[in-house]
Amino acid sequence: MKETPLSNCERDFLLKAIQEKKRLDGRQTYDYRKLKIMFGTDFGCCFVELGKTRVMAQVSCELVAPKENRPNEGIMFFNIELSPMASPAFEQGRQSELSVKLNRQLERCLRNSKCIDLESLCVVSGEKVWQIRVDVHMLNHDGNLMDAASIAAIASLCHFRRPDVGIQGDEVTVYSPNERDPIPLSIYHMPISVSFAFFQQGTYLLVDPCEREERVMDGLLMIAMNKHREICSIQSSGGIMLLKEQVMRCSKIASVKVSEITKLIMKALENDKTARKAGGKCGFAESMPQERITALKKDETAVEMTDVTERANDIVLNAEVLPQTQSLLVPLPGMGQVGKDLPNSWGIEEYDQDEEEAFNSDEDKQTTMEVGEKQKAHEDVVEISDSEEDEVVILQPEAMDKAHKKTSSSSHLKEPAASKKRHRK
Amino acid sequence: MSSFRCFVQCGNMAGLELLSDQGYRLDGRKSTELRKVQARMGVFAQADGSAYLEQGNTKALAVVYGPHEMRGSRSRTLHDRAVINCQYSMATFSMSERKRRPHGDRKSTEMSLHLKQTFEAAVMTQLYPRSQIDIYVKILQSDGGNYSVCVNAATLAVIDAGIPMLDYVCASTVGFVDETPLADLCYAEESGGVSSLALALLPRGGQIALLQMDARLHQDNLEALMDAAMTACKGVSKVLDQVVRQHLQEASLATGD
């Protein structure tokens, strides 16, 4: 399926925002998205979430015959699968340009830099060696697949345990994990790739581009380094022209980022190790956060607390004194009314309010007279509301037969504001 | 041949010294010396542009067709510029072991993509909207620095075809051994586990069209290595310029001016 083309206004918007050093998700120019590394229940299974980009890597091993020109070295094989699950633009089975590019970059980053001791994978020289196969699957494409893939690949290689092998003379026995503990691979260093996207012919540069930013970029520079500040691979792609200073600057930024990411990977490996030792549940299902709608949890919000007392005192001093209104009416014992004849504070539209006021001003005179009359007439019947339309009357149990009501509204206390409900036609 | 390979494997350990104490390399060059470059333009009459370039023992042939109407999938036409289509292949007899798959394997596809990227940066494609330019490069003999030789040969072929470019595109592969950058690596040096950097440069503006590096190199050495690569590229550009001028002279003599 062909990718939905990016509209011109979206492209212009993104480029303009980048010119003003603003990114879609609010990051700074050199910020990475949130990186989460989780391991599965099997050794060698690793999930990486870089923002919304999700990648899974799985390491497996097999005994094979070695290559003829390297009889005492193991074989490393990398494979990146761009499945249609990740993005509708990826087609099943077809080796697109992007797939070739990512595969070659990962191979060069991990294999040519010799991060794994291949000679330790040799079992019988010239006959049997371990072939380590790393399969990386893209689960969701939201930009920067290369970085996520490299982190997943190296983390899963660090996590992997291969079966132990015993050699007695000519016989080779491969012990299953139940018989002998599997042993980890010997990893010299951890190369991690950092991607830089260039815009406007190299004027602006962003680290870790998301999918939208990738669509409008001019070119990409990928630098793979390890934490010892050794560059393992550099690859520029896209039709951009770089200058030497730009490349040097990018390599400096990359060294900072790589050390941060390496720390994160080590921490994730440590956590997984402790979780397994403690016998607790580990694996992908456990590490997924439970997202329930019924669970409402709000994080603490920081409140600015500096010079709070001074500000509070200022406010108190400068505050106006509100007029004390005696608006509490006690028509009957056990019953009180508050707020009668006060200005309406419900914020109903001006039209209504003006009309109302005009209305009420005549009404008030009337009703006060009425009330007065009634009160003289029936001391136990109290007018609460001054609305013309519905009359609120409090009935006293003894005086029920004496009271005559105009409306059928039941007796209930109504605040004057609420009584201004309209029954307009 | 197998014994030669044996030596190469244990390169740094015993036997083969990539850089001797006196500063001489395996083939007697100094560390900044380039291999001998010999080139010919216009080797094929049928193609729009063609060139043959030798750098030491590495021999490459480049052929350019275009700009012409878009062939194949019309949907890939770009409305404002030309599409550059590159294909890199190695002859089956180019290496010491017969190459079973000259096209279609991952390394060839990657090289083709890199060539495409390099020339998209240098060729003035805005002058030919809705067209296609084909660049085919074949390695006849491989002795290290494949990518650089391809780029140099293709530059000459594009010039021979008369397609306007921003500048010569010159490439070279440099390596780092014993704290010294070595310019223009040969096969023995490349496979000896040396960190190699391939750089394609437009010499006049110092702009880098492609940068590719493998194997471990400490960050502090990167600048020195890049400087060596840029110097080597500038050296190559002088040679290419001479070749073009000489070809023009011969051509004008032949047409009798």
Side-chain angles (χ1 to χ4, degrees):
Chain A
M1 192 183 112
K2 202 164 183 250
E3 246 179 358
T4 326
L6 198 64
S7 61
N8 279 341
C9 48
E10 212 175 346
R11 176 185 299 266
D12 292 336
F13 172 75
L14 282 164
L15 288 174
K16 196 139 189 289
I18 289 167
Q19 273 176 339
E20 298 174 10
K21 308 249 195 264
K22 293 198 172 79
R23 294 175 83 158
L24 275 187
D25 44 10
R27 285 186 278 157
Q28 298 290 319
T29 355
Y30 300 152
D31 277 353
Y32 254 79
R33 287 173 283 184
K34 190 154 171 311
L35 180 61
K36 263 191 1 176
I37 302 171
M38 299 163 283
F39 294 100
T41 33
D42 290 331
F43 281 115
C45 177
C46 173
F47 291 87
V48 168
E49 275 185 39
L50 183 61
K52 290 209 197 113
T53 300
R54 295 180 69 155
V55 157
M56 182 194 114
Q58 175 73 54
V59 181
S60 51
C61 65
E62 198 187 13
L63 275 177
V64 294
K67 288 196 184 140
E68 285 114 27
N69 49 350
R70 291 191 198 275
N72 53 351
E73 277 184 12
I75 303 176
M76 292 233 29
F77 183 69
F78 298 95
N79 184 33
I80 294 187
E81 294 273 344
L82 297 177
S83 76
M85 187 196 310
S87 159
F90 298 155
E91 284 175 22
Q92 179 66 33
R94 265 221 314 169
Q95 226 193 19
S96 66
E97 276 182 15
L98 179 66
S99 153
V100 170
K101 190 174 99 149
L102 290 175
N103 269 297
R104 284 293 300 153
Q105 275 183 352
L106 189 69
E107 263 185 37
R108 286 185 20 236
C109 174
L110 291 179
R111 186 190 287 163
N112 294 12
S113 62
K114 298 191 177 43
C115 61
I116 293 198
D117 182 14
L118 290 175
E119 290 191 359
S120 67
L121 297 174
C122 176
V123 175
V124 178
S125 173
E127 284 173 32
K128 286 272 178 237
V129 297
W130 284 112
Q131 180 190 46
I132 305 286
R133 187 193 163 107
V134 183
D135 285 291
V136 183
H137 289 257
M138 302 301 169
L139 302 176
N140 192 35
H141 174 32
D142 194 34
N144 206 2
L145 291 173
M146 184 61 218
D147 288 6
S150 84
I151 297 174
I154 197 63
S156 61
L157 281 169
C158 290
H159 191 244
F160 181 63
R161 307 269 181 274
R162 65 170 171 88
D164 198 3
V165 172
I167 306 180
Q168 274 120 12
D170 271 340
E171 266 202 27
V172 173
T173 16
V174 178
Y175 297 107
S176 74
N178 303 333
E179 295 166 11
R180 276 208 210 166
D181 275 341
I183 36 184
L185 301 171
S186 63
I187 296 181
Y188 290 140
H189 62 102
M190 303 192 355
I192 292 173
S193 85
V194 177
S195 296
F196 299 88
F198 287 90
F199 302 86
Q200 310 282 45
Q201 279 84 44
T203 336
Y204 302 101
L205 119 78
L206 290 181
V207 173
D208 186 19
C210 69
E211 201 251 336
R212 287 268 170 263
E213 291 162 351
E214 269 188 359
R215 297 255 220 138
V216 297
M217 72 181 175
D218 286 339
L220 194 72
L221 177 70
M222 188 273 291
I223 299 185
M225 286 177 80
N226 61 21
K227 66 172 184 200
H228 308 293
R229 292 182 57 222
E230 287 173 334
I231 301 180
C232 302
S233 173
I234 301 183
Q235 179 67 55
S236 75
S237 55
I240 35 156
M241 310 270 226
L242 295 172
L243 294 169
K244 195 183 83 165
E245 294 76 34
Q246 285 174 319
V247 178
M248 303 310 299
R249 193 156 48 108
C250 289
S251 79
K252 292 199 182 70
I253 300 169
S255 61
V256 171
K257 293 293 163 199
V258 162
S259 55
E260 285 171 14
I261 296 177
T262 315
K263 274 199 211 110
L264 235 138
I265 297 180
M266 301 307 290
K267 202 161 72 140
L269 283 165
E270 279 298 319
N271 288 348
D272 182 73
K273 213 199 289 185
T274 38
R276 276 175 202 268
K277 256 200 210 144
K281 288 196 200 157
C282 57
F284 183 50
E286 286 308 313
S287 53
M288 295 259 280
Q290 288 274 28
E291 287 172 28
R292 281 186 278 247
I293 285 180
T294 50
L296 186 68
K297 182 181 166 211
K298 247 187 117 53
D299 291 333
E300 292 174 358
T301 23
V303 175
E304 180 76 41
M305 287 293 274
T306 50
D307 63 84
V308 156
T309 29
E310 289 93 55
R311 279 173 58 195
N313 287 338
D314 280 336
I315 293 172
V316 167
L317 286 172
N318 299 336
E320 294 170 351
V321 179
L322 290 167
Q324 297 279 357
T325 43
Q326 194 56 264
S327 71
L328 177 66
L329 281 177
V330 185
L332 288 169
M335 212 157 296
Q337 190 180 6
V338 178
K340 191 166 170 172
D341 295 335
L342 278 184
N344 174 23
S345 61
W346 278 88
I348 304 177
E349 296 98 45
E350 271 201 10
Y351 167 69
D352 289 348
Q353 228 172 13
D354 288 340
E355 222 192 7
E356 229 187 285
E357 280 168 16
F359 214 45
N360 282 350
S361 48
D362 324 307
E363 244 191 65
D364 275 344
K365 298 174 199 144
Q366 264 191 345
T367 44
T368 35
M369 287 196 316
E370 274 181 26
V371 167
E373 279 174 12
K374 285 216 180 105
Q375 276 203 325
K376 290 174 204 150
H378 311 273
E379 282 169 0
D380 39 311
V381 176
V382 179
E383 276 288 343
I384 304 292
S385 149
D386 48 9
S387 156
E388 200 181 52
E389 282 151 4
D390 40 48
E391 198 175 280
V392 176
V393 169
I394 299 177
L395 294 175
Q396 295 300 324
E398 319 84 313
M400 263 190 79
D401 45 331
K402 285 194 199 170
H404 42 85
K405 303 179 284 288
K406 281 191 212 147
T407 62
S408 57
S409 63
S410 52
S411 64
H412 51 275
L413 263 174
K414 268 200 205 167
E415 286 183 287
S419 75
K420 293 196 169 70
K421 262 192 309 188
R422 301 272 143 248
H423 294 283
R424 291 237 163 110
K425 279 110 195 165
Chain B
M1 257 316 161
S2 59
S3 59
F4 176 69
R5 226 175 288 121
C6 253
F7 269 129
V8 164
Q9 267 175 54
C10 50
N12 292 339
M13 294 193 312
L16 226 51
E17 269 183 332
L18 294 175
L19 189 68
S20 77
D21 300 325
Q22 290 87 28
Y24 289 106
R25 290 151 76 170
L26 286 174
D27 42 9
R29 285 184 284 156
K30 286 266 185 184
S31 63
T32 51
E33 263 184 63
L34 302 171
R35 292 179 288 184
K36 181 166 177 181
V37 177
Q38 283 178 312
R40 266 221 177 293
M41 290 168 66
V43 283
F44 291 139
Q46 175 170 354
D48 293 330
S50 57
Y52 169 75
L53 189 118
E54 274 183 26
Q55 224 173 307
N57 282 334
T58 308
K59 302 178 166 69
L61 194 56
V63 167
V64 170
Y65 284 96
H68 56 75
E69 197 190 335
M70 195 78 193
R71 298 211 190 108
S73 55
R74 289 283 164 85
S75 59
R76 291 197 303 146
T77 322
L78 295 173
H79 67 280
D80 56 346
R81 34 186 226 276
V83 170
I84 297 190
N85 178 34
C86 284
Q87 202 194 42
Y88 166 91
S89 73
M90 298 181 71
T92 45
F93 46 81
S94 59
M95 300 196 65
S96 51
E97 260 182 27
R98 190 182 172 82
K99 205 159 161 53
R100 249 169 265 148
R101 259 188 102 188
H103 320 273
D105 62 327
R106 273 188 197 163
K107 278 202 184 145
S108 302
T109 321
E110 192 202 17
M111 279 285 215
S112 312
L113 285 177
H114 287 166
L115 281 173
K116 177 180 150 94
Q117 174 195 329
T118 314
F119 282 96
E120 265 180 4
V123 170
M124 298 173 75
T125 44
Q126 295 89 354
L127 297 175
Y128 304 105
R130 299 196 142 81
S131 7
Q132 179 181 338
I133 299 174
D134 296 318
I135 304 178
Y136 301 113
V137 191
K138 200 166 193 75
I139 299 266
L140 298 175
Q141 187 175 330
S142 159
D143 186 32
N146 286 346
Y147 170 74
S148 331
V149 177
C150 282
V151 167
N152 295 333
T155 304
L156 287 180
V158 168
I159 292 176
D160 189 44
I163 299 175
M165 283 208 289
L166 292 174
D167 195 358
Y168 287 94
V169 187
C170 310
S172 81
T173 317
V174 295
F176 202 77
V177 168
D178 291 345
E179 318 287 316
T180 333
L182 300 180
D184 202 4
L185 299 178
C186 63
Y187 182 76
E189 290 164 341
E190 256 183 14
S191 43
V194 161
S195 12
S196 69
L197 177 108
L199 187 94
L201 184 76
L202 275 66
R204 246 174 278 179
Q207 294 155 311
I208 299 171
L210 184 122
L211 176 63
Q212 179 178 315
M213 203 197 81
D214 302 325
R216 283 156 75 176
L217 176 79
H218 198 268
Q219 191 182 11
D220 300 335
N221 299 329
L222 179 67
E223 189 159 6
L225 200 60
M226 283 184 72
D227 282 334
M230 292 171 88
T231 323
C233 288
K234 293 200 173 114
V236 171
S237 80
K238 288 203 193 85
V239 177
L240 292 184
D241 194 41
Q242 257 190 333
V243 170
V244 172
R245 284 176 204 277
Q246 198 180 2
H247 175 75
L248 276 177
Q249 266 188 342
E250 287 174 4
S252 64
L253 275 178
T255 52
D257 275 336

